[in-house]
Amino acid sequence: MLPCCLSKGRFSHKLEFPETTSVSQGLKIIGLADAVEGRINVTVNNGQMFRCVLRRSPASSLANDCITAMAEGLSSNFYSHFLSLLWKDGDLAYLSEADSSVPSEWDSFCSIMMEICGSSATSKKISSPMPQSSWEFLIHSKFHNNYCKHNLITQNSSVMSLDVQRLDSSWLNSDGTQRPERTFYYELLMESLHCLHAVYENLKLNSLRKRDLELLGFLSCYIAKFLGEESYVDHYIRDFPGLSGSVGICDTSISQENPPSLFRWLENCLLHGYNSANINDLPPLICKDGSSVVSWARKIVSFYSLLSGAKHIGKKLSSGVYCNIATGSYDTNEELTVLAMVGEKFGLQQLDSLPSGVSLPLRHALGKCRESPPIGWPAAAYVLLGREDLALSYLARSCKSKELETQTNVNLISMSAPYMLHLHPVTIPSAVSDTIGFDNTKFEDADSADGSMTDGMEHIFNSSTQLRYGRDLRLNEVRRLLCSARPVAIQTSVNPSASDQDLQQAQLWHLAQRTTALPFGRGAFTLATIYTLLTEAFVVPKLVLAGRLPAQQNATVNLDPNVRNIQEIKSWPEFNNAVAAGLRLAPLQGKMSRMWIIYNKPEEPNAIHAGLILALGLHGYLRVLTITDIYQYLYQEHEITTVGMMLGLAASYRGTMQPAISKCLYVHIPARNPPSFEVELQTLVQSAGLMSVGLLYEGSAHPQTMQILMTEIGRRSAGDNVLEREGYAVSAGFALGLVALGRGEDALGFMDTMVDKLFHYIGGKEVHNDRSNSSKLSADEHNRAAAQMMDGTAVNVDATAPGATIALALMFLKTESQEIVSKLSIPHTRFELQYVRPDFIMLRVIARSLIMWSRVHPSQDWIQSQIPDIVKNGVNCLGDDTDDIDEMDAEAFVQAYVNIVAGACISLGLRFAGTKNGNAQELLYNYAVYFLNEIKPVSATSGTFPRGLSHYVDRGTLEICLHLIVLSLSVVMAGSGHLQTFKLLRFLRNRNSADGHVNYGVQMAVSLAIGFLFLGGGTQTFSTSNSSVAALLITLYPRLPTGPNDNRCHLQAFRHLYVLATEARWIQTVDVDTGLPVYAPLEVTIRETEHYAETSFCEVTPCLLPERAILKAIRICGPRYWPQVIDLVPEDKPWWTPGDKNSPFNSGVLYIKRKVGACSYIDDPIGCQSLLSRAMHKVFGLTSLKARDSCSTGDNGPGSVTVDQLVATFSSDPSLIAFAQLCCDPSWKSRSDIDFQEFCLQVLFECVSKDRPALLQVYLSLYTAIGSMARQLSSDSVVLCDSLAISNLKLALAYNEALLSGRLTSSRGGNVQSNFIACLRKQVEELLNYSQDLKDDFCNYVHSGRWPNGESQGDKRQLLLSWYVQWFGVPSPSVIKVAVEKVKPKLMSSSLVPLLHLLFPRTHINAIAEIDKLFSS
């Protein structure tokens, strides 16, 4: 508004500008500036500046809706005239003032409409003194003086004061026709009435704006009466009978136009479909595109249309209205309706604003789609259905950016507010209380002096792992077995022949072998289980080799440095310990900080930082290092650091063939450097370089690299140790196999020559013409061959055979090449058994199995098929005295047998790695127990195994084979924590040197096996992809070290490459309401393979899933949680990495929603508490509440349970808990309260047991509507004078009839019980009992359109008549008269009922019979 000094008319006295009171009227505006929303600075010609507020829209929502409707519905010339009246000359102060009140704005709008009526009723040619404003006209009217006394609708004087008596029909001619000069105002009023009626019908669908509906009904009724629209007047009086006294009925009927009625259209749409619903029952403004004022009604009409089968073409439906439909697949009308609700942003809050009867079909659509909604819907659609679990899962997969996430969250809030703001009861669930009560932060032992040391495993206990293993102490036992950060207990014995100190030192030395091997298992156990802060230093747990004497108050005993070189045995164990500590770091969402790595770099190189470098490389973090950083590390020429850096770089850049990294690696292979480049490198560094080259070029089949690695297999290393030469050749063989991994003969054309060379290195008889092949070598190759391990043409197969065998196995991995397998034959004659080393036979069995991948079966028959008949017969005849078997032959048979069996078990471990295959587990376990009994009988074994092997083979070989089998068993059961396997591993770990040949190698195998069994705390497992199988084979290479520093045959650093084979296929279910991990039954479906058909099996989350290559679907099953299905396409790809946007599992988290009425599996493992009906009937006696009133209430003691506490056990929905507290209070004593309380308890049970908490509002609304109607008739005064509840009840009946007739279908039945709806109908009909007063009133109404007067009991009779005509669908009197006049001349009988029933199909037959009586009498 403008300041008063700038306006022509009068403005509010509150706006005073003392400094401008003397300003003349000639003041002019010369400038506008600083506009902010509706505020602007106005500069006038005298230099003054005023801050002005422009009212863009009224504060009154009703006035704003009416003005908007006029803007959208009136033609342009009419609306221009209306605006000139609305804002004329600044006289309408109430619409101009910035601080005007809401009632005054509505009064101002009413005065405008009255002025239009006054202009119609008064001749423009006759000048009459008029008030200066509409408000003055209004307050001087006679009607205003008596308004408060005679108004029957409300006692609030804010309703407009209309002098009905002053306004006549002077604009009509004597014959009732319009005068031509009044046509303009008549048409303006008619269009205005249509616009206001559209707003009126729109407000009837919003239960929160009943007051606005009442005010608008009064104004519309007056305008309709003024225009002579009898049907409109009757329509408004039926809704508000009090209007018959305050406005009156229409004396002269000019038009028989039937007013649109949304409730009538909605009812017909439910009963007969949208095609049968009369389009004239829809206000034209609703069908207009872009109309905002009646968008509420337009949305409801569009939802009903879609639910009834309407089709949509673009944005327009076949029912004639417009609708925005969200994107998504649908198969049913209900699903399309839900998408339309999402597209129109019609959420739960809007649904509760509808009258209960109107909302029932929409709630029906939501309920039908709730159980199994289509995949790919927007998150808002799932929230609308009450499936927040699906919504969160969708958000986790679809939100690509923060901006999109913010927009989606805003949409979710609009769809669900305030229902997603759950108010959980302040209780601690049992899962949390168990976790809190179970102190996992400290690791204590009965003999431990300090139980709070840092052992690198203190973080392993969390809600997920605790849920995985329940209340057992498995993780605690694993932590105890793998702890290397505290002194180990030494059991002293009495031996007079030796001093106690010598015994202690000897025992401590044996225990140190075990302690130094523990980091291998700890690294696997804690793999990727913590998230470090990049501002913290890297902490490595101590590696303590000391012991303690429990008998002497835990006195510490250290290794004597004079007897043992402690530092010599600690360098590589410290390295492995640091690797284990570094492997704890979980994969980060972003990159590892380069500065953090540099920050942790020590001034002097050491094994600890070298281990960290390797761990970071295995996780792929070394990509952040620059070439300069790499050079700084390699320049130090620290042996262990160089090994860790090369392997870490190769793992980070695996398969990329990065040239810069390749140069760094090739520098450490002297054979590839020019002769002038003299660098002395130890063999283990060269071996690490070869393995790193293989990782870098993995799967590339790079020809030059393959040629180089092929040459290195047969090259003599710098050292003279044969074992070092073997280790170097094995590294070259692994590298060659990695480069050509699984490529077989399709790699390049020179593969035939390469295969022949490899068989030459193996020493196979299949290769001929060695000399001719040698003569074809070039001069350069002759020079290089001079350094190869040959004596003439003979190759030192002891050094080259293992590497060549491994190379062939990896090159032809899963290729099913019969040619290669036939050449890699297992000895089947006595001569061959003497010719081939037994451990090489094991490698051949492994190689053959890897090549013939699909033929490996977890059965005893398959293992037996790998054993040649000569070996099988020889072993079986060991105890038979009749067979004359040479001692040497017997030893050869047994050596071959144990190695073949061990190789077959390793093959099974690789073939079924991470699958938890039951047959493979049972088979490997039986063989492990069999070998253990052969060493020292400990238990009975099942199956027919040869006995007495220990007489022909040394114990060390049996120990190695036993531990290789156990290691393979743990690979199969990786991450499962299998209890039987764990017990076996614990037994093997606790054996001392007296129980068997226990050295560092077998202890390392046991440690790794324990770590594999609990890989990543149970959250990781192994894959069987080509790359994973190669990494596992490197880890499981069957040559175990003899001591902590033994790197001759196989580098200990290679044993950590299993990390490259791991996959986080862990999945846990999280309750979307509580945010806590919970148990849930999961049905897993795997695809059909060549060995088995499509299979489904059940798991309980948290669990590990099968590989992506076979996983087809997972489904949340069971009665306690809402079903959820995730369909997948089996692909031969690695598992999704953490943070992958395409992952369907949200980094291992699957959100689920518990059904109301069911407890979680933690609180109720066997389901006895989920019987909600039994619990509620038992505790509260639903069937005998009235009887309890006379009984003593002695059950309110400390042990009693209240309704809200019971409900809180089964549901966290705040509405249910609040309802139980407010409406189910057992302390109520009055009879009426008990009746209502019993109804509330029954409704609460209904909503909880069927998981429909939203129906509480519907049940209460319908119940209280009937109760209110009954109280209105029984009381002396009428409080609520309207019949809106009747229309609402009729719509509820129509919904029930649509269900019974099959127009609406549901597998779970209707939202509201049919018998409850039937009871409502019966009670309404009892209230509308056709009494004599009602008969007289109905007779007067039908004949003359008169309503009962306002005398004694007049209000009640008016109300009862309005209910009657609404309930039975009686047409308006004018329509009845016209129909009767048309029917009577054609009447063939004395009754009008048949014909009237055809004319008025919506009218009840009883009402038609009464009309027949009235007109027949």
Side-chain angles (χ1 to χ4, degrees):
M1 57 159 292
L2 297 177
C4 58
C5 62
L6 300 180
S7 65
K8 296 180 180 180
R10 301 182 307 270
F11 285 84
S12 174
H13 65 279
K14 297 180 181 179
L15 296 175
E16 298 178 357
F17 298 87
E19 67 278 3
T20 63
T21 54
S22 60
V23 178
S24 65
Q25 292 296 323
L27 209 59
K28 295 183 179 180
I29 298 176
I30 62 173
L32 302 175
D34 304 328
V36 178
E37 293 187 347
R39 295 172 175 81
I40 194 170
N41 286 345
V42 178
T43 306
V44 294
N45 53 4
N46 66 353
Q48 288 183 309
M49 181 180 293
F50 303 97
R51 188 68 172 171
C52 300
V53 179
L54 303 178
R55 290 295 305 279
R56 295 173 296 172
S57 60
S60 168
S61 59
L62 179 57
N64 185 56
D65 288 347
C66 291
I67 294 173
T68 306
M70 305 283 264
E72 295 177 352
L74 292 181
S75 55
S76 59
N77 55 337
F78 288 152
Y79 183 62
S80 300
H81 185 71
F82 172 74
L83 282 184
S84 66
L85 295 175
L86 188 64
W87 300 103
K88 66 170 187 177
D89 301 330
D91 288 337
L92 294 184
Y94 289 106
L95 286 180
S96 303
E97 292 179 6
D99 58 347
S100 61
S101 61
V102 171
S104 65
E105 290 181 345
W106 174 245
D107 291 343
S108 299
F109 177 78
C110 293
S111 66
I112 294 297
M113 299 308 300
M114 180 184 168
E115 184 175 348
I116 298 176
C117 295
S119 300
S120 301
T122 306
S123 175
K124 289 183 178 180
K125 301 178 181 178
I126 304 175
S127 61
S128 60
M130 292 293 294
Q132 294 183 349
S133 69
S134 300
W135 174 248
E136 291 181 4
F137 174 85
L138 202 60
I139 62 176
H140 286 93
S141 64
K142 294 181 181 180
F143 187 83
H144 175 72
N145 297 328
N146 298 321
Y147 177 76
C148 294
K149 297 180 181 179
H150 299 287
N151 182 27
L152 295 177
I153 298 180
T154 176
Q155 299 299 321
N156 192 338
S157 61
S158 64
V159 181
M160 66 288 177
S161 301
L162 300 177
D163 191 350
V164 180
Q165 303 299 327
R166 267 188 73 179
L167 298 174
D168 53 21
S169 300
S170 59
W171 56 283
L172 299 174
N173 289 321
S174 59
D175 59 354
T177 60
Q178 300 178 29
R179 293 181 179 177
E181 63 268 24
R182 302 307 177 198
T183 303
F184 177 82
Y185 282 102
Y186 173 76
E187 292 180 357
L188 172 59
L189 284 174
M190 280 304 299
E191 289 193 15
S192 300
L193 178 62
H194 292 158
C195 295
L196 296 179
H197 184 76
V199 178
Y200 178 82
E201 291 296 314
N202 182 73
L203 293 179
K204 286 173 71 173
L205 296 179
N206 193 336
S207 58
L208 300 180
R209 299 188 65 182
K210 186 177 179 181
R211 173 60 179 165
D212 289 346
L213 179 67
E214 188 177 356
L215 296 175
L216 182 57
F218 195 97
L219 175 62
S220 301
C221 185
Y222 164 71
I223 297 176
K225 179 189 176 185
F226 182 79
L227 294 174
E229 294 290 339
E230 182 180 358
S231 296
Y232 277 86
V233 174
D234 183 73
H235 182 83
Y236 299 128
I237 294 178
R238 288 188 181 203
D239 289 339
F240 297 98
L243 293 175
S244 63
S246 58
V247 177
I249 63 173
C250 189
D251 297 326
T252 305
S253 179
I254 305 301
S255 172
Q256 297 300 329
E257 181 183 352
N258 200 25
S261 173
L262 280 179
F263 271 97
R264 185 166 59 240
W265 188 93
L266 297 176
E267 184 180 353
N268 286 333
C269 186
L270 280 179
L271 293 176
H272 310 294
Y274 76 96
N275 288 322
S276 301
N278 191 354
I279 190 65
N280 294 326
D281 283 335
L282 295 179
L285 203 57
I286 290 180
C287 300
K288 185 177 181 181
D289 186 21
S291 178
S292 61
V293 67
V294 291
S295 61
W296 182 264
R298 177 188 60 78
K299 294 176 182 178
I300 306 304
V301 171
S302 63
F303 300 155
Y304 271 67
S305 301
L306 293 172
L307 195 58
S308 301
K311 307 300 180 183
H312 65 96
I313 304 174
K315 287 188 176 182
K316 191 169 185 179
L317 306 182
S318 53
S319 59
V321 295
Y322 289 83
C323 181
N324 295 314
I325 300 178
T327 57
S329 60
Y330 61 90
D331 296 322
T332 63
N333 294 335
E334 287 81 4
E335 292 175 356
L336 183 58
T337 304
V338 174
L339 289 176
M341 295 174 70
V342 176
E344 293 288 354
K345 297 184 179 180
F346 195 88
L348 300 176
Q349 191 173 11
Q350 290 76 15
L351 191 62
D352 283 345
S353 299
L354 292 175
S356 55
V358 179
S359 69
L360 274 177
L362 303 183
R363 297 186 190 276
H364 167 86
L366 297 178
K368 187 175 180 180
C369 300
R370 188 179 187 188
E371 185 162 351
S372 56
I375 300 173
W377 271 12
Y382 295 129
V383 172
L384 189 60
L385 296 176
R387 296 299 303 272
E388 290 85 357
D389 51 338
L390 298 177
L392 284 180
S393 299
Y394 173 85
L395 282 178
R397 296 193 300 266
S398 64
C399 288
K400 305 295 183 182
S401 63
K402 293 294 182 181
E403 180 182 359
L404 177 60
E405 185 175 0
T406 303
Q407 293 176 356
T408 308
N409 289 339
V410 170
N411 193 19
L412 279 184
I413 293 174
S414 67
M415 296 301 296
S416 61
Y419 301 98
M420 278 188 71
L421 307 176
H422 294 308
L423 305 176
H424 303 298
V426 186
T427 58
I428 300 178
S430 61
V432 180
S433 60
D434 290 344
T435 306
I436 295 175
F438 194 76
D439 189 2
N440 292 321
T441 59
K442 292 185 178 182
F443 175 62
E444 298 185 2
D445 189 88
D447 302 323
S448 176
D450 181 13
S452 60
M453 90 293 292
T454 300
D455 59 0
M457 296 175 284
E458 61 277 354
H459 62 281
I460 203 68
F461 299 97
N462 53 48
S463 59
S464 298
T465 54
Q466 190 66 35
L467 194 69
R468 174 76 185 276
Y469 299 106
R471 297 172 182 264
D472 65 27
L473 305 179
R474 228 174 301 185
L475 290 184
N476 296 66
E477 185 66 7
V478 175
R479 184 180 178 186
R480 183 186 70 83
L481 295 178
L482 296 180
C483 178
S484 60
R486 63 187 182 95
V488 64
I490 300 176
Q491 304 298 331
T492 57
S493 59
V494 179
N495 189 348
S497 62
S499 65
D500 289 342
Q501 186 175 1
D502 292 339
L503 281 175
Q504 293 171 6
Q505 287 295 318
Q507 193 173 359
L508 194 59
W509 174 252
H510 288 291
L511 293 175
Q513 306 294 310
R514 186 180 70 186
T515 303
T516 52
L518 293 179
F520 287 98
R522 195 180 77 245
F525 177 49
T526 60
L527 179 66
T529 52
I530 66 169
Y531 295 87
T532 184
L533 295 176
L534 299 184
T535 56
E536 296 178 351
F538 180 68
V539 178
V540 178
K542 295 181 179 179
L543 186 64
V544 179
L545 300 181
R548 56 186 175 86
L549 303 175
Q552 302 180 20
Q553 299 181 349
N554 286 322
T556 303
V557 178
N558 294 314
L559 279 173
D560 189 355
N562 297 323
V563 179
R564 308 285 185 182
N565 188 351
I566 301 177
Q567 292 302 320
E568 180 181 345
I569 68 168
K570 284 193 69 175
S571 57
W572 281 101
E574 289 284 3
F575 171 82
N576 296 324
N577 189 41
V579 173
L583 291 179
R584 294 182 300 172
L585 302 178
L588 302 178
Q589 300 296 335
K591 290 184 177 180
M592 169 67 71
S593 172
R594 168 183 171 271
M595 294 307 301
W596 186 82
I597 300 177
I598 302 301
Y599 169 73
N600 284 281
K601 181 180 179 182
E603 295 182 1
E604 295 293 331
N606 56 40
I608 294 178
H609 189 68
L612 172 62
I613 291 297
L614 176 57
L616 296 179
L618 293 174
H619 279 312
Y621 295 153
L622 292 190
R623 286 175 175 260
V624 300
L625 294 181
T626 64
I627 294 297
T628 305
D629 298 328
I630 298 172
Y631 173 77
Q632 293 294 335
Y633 276 103
L634 299 179
Y635 177 74
Q636 297 172 341
E637 296 185 0
H638 186 251
E639 176 184 311
I640 299 181
T641 302
T642 302
V643 171
M645 176 57 71
M646 287 194 299
L647 289 175
L649 285 173
S652 294
Y653 290 93
R654 183 169 50 145
T656 63
M657 299 190 296
Q658 183 73 16
I661 306 300
S662 177
K663 293 177 182 178
C664 297
L665 301 180
Y666 272 125
V667 168
H668 296 86
I669 304 177
R672 304 314 308 162
N673 297 326
S676 60
F677 188 77
E678 296 182 1
V679 177
E680 292 187 4
L681 295 173
Q682 291 193 6
T683 304
L684 63 90
V685 176
Q686 300 179 38
S687 300
L690 289 173
M691 185 70 76
S692 302
V693 169
L695 291 172
L696 184 67
Y697 286 85
E698 180 182 302
S700 65
H702 189 260
Q704 184 179 5
T705 304
M706 293 174 64
Q707 290 285 5
I708 294 172
L709 295 175
M710 170 64 71
T711 305
E712 296 306 312
I713 295 178
R715 183 177 300 280
R716 183 187 300 276
S717 64
D720 294 330
N721 193 318
V722 176
L723 293 179
E724 288 187 355
R725 295 204 300 270
E726 179 186 341
Y728 184 84
V730 167
S731 299
F734 271 116
L736 176 59
L738 287 171
V739 174
L741 184 62
R743 300 295 294 271
E745 296 180 355
D746 68 328
L748 285 173
F750 64 87
M751 189 64 74
D752 291 339
T753 304
M754 190 167 292
V755 170
D756 289 341
K757 287 186 178 180
L758 288 174
F759 277 111
H760 183 65
Y761 288 147
I762 293 175
K765 297 179 295 181
E766 295 81 359
V767 181
H768 305 286
N769 302 324
D770 293 331
R771 295 185 181 274
S772 62
N773 289 337
S774 177
S775 63
K776 297 178 182 179
L777 297 176
S778 63
D780 180 62
E781 289 177 331
H782 273 295
N783 294 333
R784 294 183 180 178
Q788 292 188 2
M789 289 175 281
M790 296 183 180
D791 182 12
T793 59
V795 178
N796 185 357
V797 293
D798 288 340
T800 60
T805 305
I806 293 296
L808 283 172
L810 295 180
M811 289 168 63
F812 293 89
L813 176 64
K814 302 181 183 179
T815 60
E816 313 289 334
S817 174
Q818 289 283 1
E819 180 183 1
I820 302 300
V821 169
S822 62
K823 293 180 180 181
L824 273 176
S825 60
I826 299 176
H828 53 275
T829 64
R830 295 174 185 254
F831 172 75
E832 290 177 347
L833 288 175
Q834 298 290 342
Y835 177 75
V836 182
R837 277 173 40 181
D839 55 334
F840 291 177
I841 297 177
M842 180 192 299
L843 291 177
R844 290 192 183 189
V845 172
I846 297 173
R848 289 166 57 90
S849 302
L850 293 181
I851 296 172
M852 308 300 294
W853 180 265
S854 63
R855 301 190 183 185
V856 178
H857 293 281
S859 64
Q860 178 78 29
D861 294 338
W862 179 82
I863 292 183
Q864 291 299 318
S865 67
Q866 303 303 304
I867 306 173
D869 292 338
I870 186 172
V871 176
K872 195 183 305 181
N873 296 331
V875 172
N876 291 333
C877 296
L878 289 179
D880 192 354
D881 297 334
T882 59
D883 289 345
D884 185 16
I885 300 178
D886 184 77
E887 185 73 18
M888 184 176 296
D889 289 341
E891 183 178 344
F893 290 151
V894 174
Q895 287 276 5
Y897 176 80
V898 296
N899 280 277
I900 291 173
V901 170
C905 290
I906 293 176
S907 302
L908 284 174
L910 295 174
R911 173 64 177 84
F912 298 97
T915 62
K916 297 186 295 182
N917 186 284
N919 294 331
Q921 182 272 328
E922 183 179 1
L923 186 62
L924 293 175
Y925 181 83
N926 290 337
Y927 269 106
V929 174
Y930 163 61
F931 274 87
L932 184 60
N933 283 325
E934 286 299 314
I935 296 173
K936 182 179 180 180
V938 292
S939 65
T941 58
S942 59
T944 57
F945 297 109
R947 305 296 179 184
L949 300 183
S950 57
H951 300 294
Y952 302 95
V953 66
D954 62 293
R955 191 166 191 171
T957 301
L958 288 177
E959 287 284 347
I960 292 176
C961 291
L962 164 65
H963 287 82
L964 289 175
I965 295 173
V966 168
L967 197 54
S968 303
L969 172 61
S970 67
V971 169
V972 174
M973 307 303 294
S976 67
H978 189 246
L979 193 58
Q980 185 186 40
T981 305
F982 182 47
K983 290 179 179 179
L984 175 62
L985 294 174
R986 184 175 61 175
F987 173 80
L988 294 176
R989 191 259 186 195
N990 291 334
R991 289 193 307 164
N992 54 38
S993 57
D995 295 326
H997 187 74
V998 181
N999 59 13
Y1000 175 80
V1002 297
Q1003 289 294 343
M1004 182 192 71
V1006 173
S1007 175
L1008 270 175
I1010 295 175
F1012 288 168
L1013 192 63
F1014 295 88
L1015 191 63
T1019 64
Q1020 306 264 344
T1021 189
F1022 291 123
S1023 169
T1024 57
S1025 64
N1026 288 0
S1027 177
S1028 300
V1029 171
L1032 284 175
L1033 183 58
I1034 296 173
T1035 303
L1036 299 182
Y1037 181 70
R1039 289 298 295 270
L1040 301 179
T1042 58
N1045 284 340
D1046 184 10
N1047 289 287
R1048 295 171 299 175
C1049 295
H1050 199 59
L1051 262 67
Q1052 293 187 35
F1054 295 163
R1055 305 285 180 182
H1056 298 288
L1057 294 181
Y1058 67 85
V1059 177
L1060 304 178
T1062 59
E1063 286 183 342
R1065 302 205 300 266
W1066 159 270
I1067 186 171
Q1068 62 176 335
T1069 46
V1070 174
D1071 192 320
V1072 72
D1073 294 322
T1074 63
L1076 296 174
V1078 292
Y1079 295 117
L1082 197 70
E1083 183 184 87
V1084 182
T1085 303
I1086 55 178
R1087 68 172 176 86
E1088 179 182 1
T1089 65
E1090 63 271 13
H1091 300 301
Y1092 50 82
E1094 182 176 306
T1095 308
S1096 296
F1097 59 92
C1098 289
E1099 292 275 4
V1100 176
T1101 61
C1103 63
L1104 294 170
L1105 295 176
E1107 287 188 273
R1108 189 174 174 180
I1110 61 173
L1111 182 59
K1112 189 172 183 180
I1114 65 169
R1115 182 175 70 90
I1116 298 294
C1117 55
R1120 303 194 189 186
Y1121 292 93
W1122 284 101
Q1124 185 177 156
V1125 179
I1126 298 180
D1127 293 317
L1128 302 166
V1129 178
E1131 296 177 294
D1132 193 11
K1133 295 181 180 179
W1135 196 259
W1136 296 273
T1137 58
D1140 190 348
K1141 295 296 189 299
N1142 297 321
S1143 173
F1145 302 114
N1146 188 25
S1147 299
V1149 175
L1150 186 61
Y1151 293 102
I1152 61 175
K1153 186 174 180 65
R1154 179 164 54 94
K1155 293 182 179 179
V1156 176
C1159 290
S1160 67
Y1161 288 95
I1162 300 175
D1163 298 323
D1164 184 18
I1166 60 176
C1168 61
Q1169 297 180 25
S1170 296
L1171 302 176
L1172 182 62
S1173 58
R1174 180 184 301 176
M1176 293 194 71
H1177 279 279
K1178 181 179 180 181
V1179 177
F1180 303 105
L1182 282 177
T1183 59
S1184 59
L1185 275 175
K1186 297 178 182 178
R1188 290 182 61 230
D1189 187 43
S1190 58
C1191 301
S1192 60
T1193 57
D1195 58 345
N1196 295 329
S1200 63
V1201 182
T1202 61
V1203 181
D1204 58 299
Q1205 290 174 343
L1206 181 64
V1207 172
T1209 304
F1210 297 99
S1211 173
S1212 59
D1213 193 300
S1215 60
L1216 290 178
I1217 299 174
F1219 179 80
Q1221 292 173 340
L1222 297 176
C1223 301
C1224 302
D1225 187 359
S1227 63
W1228 292 349
K1229 298 298 182 182
S1230 66
R1231 181 60 176 266
S1232 61
D1233 285 343
I1234 287 182
D1235 291 337
F1236 181 68
Q1237 183 194 5
E1238 181 170 354
F1239 172 77
C1240 290
L1241 281 173
Q1242 291 174 348
V1243 168
L1244 183 62
F1245 167 66
E1246 170 83 8
C1247 296
V1248 170
S1249 60
K1250 293 187 177 181
D1251 199 357
R1252 291 170 174 168
L1255 293 184
L1256 280 177
Q1257 174 189 351
V1258 177
Y1259 273 109
L1260 285 181
S1261 175
L1262 298 176
Y1263 181 86
T1264 54
I1266 297 296
S1268 176
M1269 292 173 62
R1271 285 192 297 270
Q1272 294 278 54
L1273 296 181
S1274 61
S1275 61
D1276 297 332
S1277 61
V1278 176
V1279 179
L1280 299 174
C1281 189
D1282 66 74
S1283 61
L1284 299 177
I1286 293 295
S1287 301
N1288 190 32
L1289 289 172
K1290 289 188 68 177
L1291 210 52
L1293 290 177
Y1295 164 72
N1296 190 48
E1297 292 180 15
L1299 280 176
L1300 296 178
S1301 64
R1303 294 196 64 86
L1304 295 178
T1305 59
S1306 177
S1307 58
R1308 303 174 62 199
N1311 281 336
V1312 180
Q1313 291 186 6
S1314 297
N1315 56 355
F1316 176 72
I1317 300 293
C1319 291
L1320 293 180
R1321 178 197 290 269
K1322 183 178 180 181
Q1323 291 191 33
V1324 171
E1325 292 177 351
E1326 289 178 355
L1327 291 175
L1328 299 179
N1329 187 20
Y1330 201 60
S1331 63
Q1332 186 60 40
D1333 289 341
L1334 180 58
K1335 181 177 181 180
D1336 295 340
D1337 294 337
F1338 183 67
C1339 179
N1340 293 330
Y1341 171 76
V1342 173
H1343 281 299
S1344 61
R1346 299 287 178 181
W1347 289 76
N1349 56 26
E1351 299 174 356
S1352 176
Q1353 299 297 320
D1355 296 346
K1356 191 177 300 184
R1357 293 173 64 177
Q1358 287 176 354
L1359 189 60
L1360 189 59
L1361 178 59
S1362 69
W1363 292 349
Y1364 183 88
V1365 296
Q1366 290 273 48
W1367 182 257
F1368 292 114
V1370 179
S1372 64
S1374 60
V1375 176
I1376 295 176
K1377 290 178 183 179
V1378 173
V1380 171
E1381 291 174 357
K1382 291 182 179 180
V1383 168
K1384 274 194 172 182
K1386 302 177 181 180
L1387 190 62
M1388 303 299 295
S1389 63
S1390 59
S1391 175
L1392 297 172
V1393 173
L1395 294 178
L1396 289 178
H1397 188 57
L1398 289 176
L1399 292 176
F1400 308 129
R1402 293 186 65 253
T1403 305
H1404 197 275
I1405 191 65
N1406 293 341
I1408 291 179
E1410 293 299 327
I1411 295 174
D1412 178 53
K1413 292 178 183 178
L1414 294 177
F1415 283 95
S1416 299
S1417 58

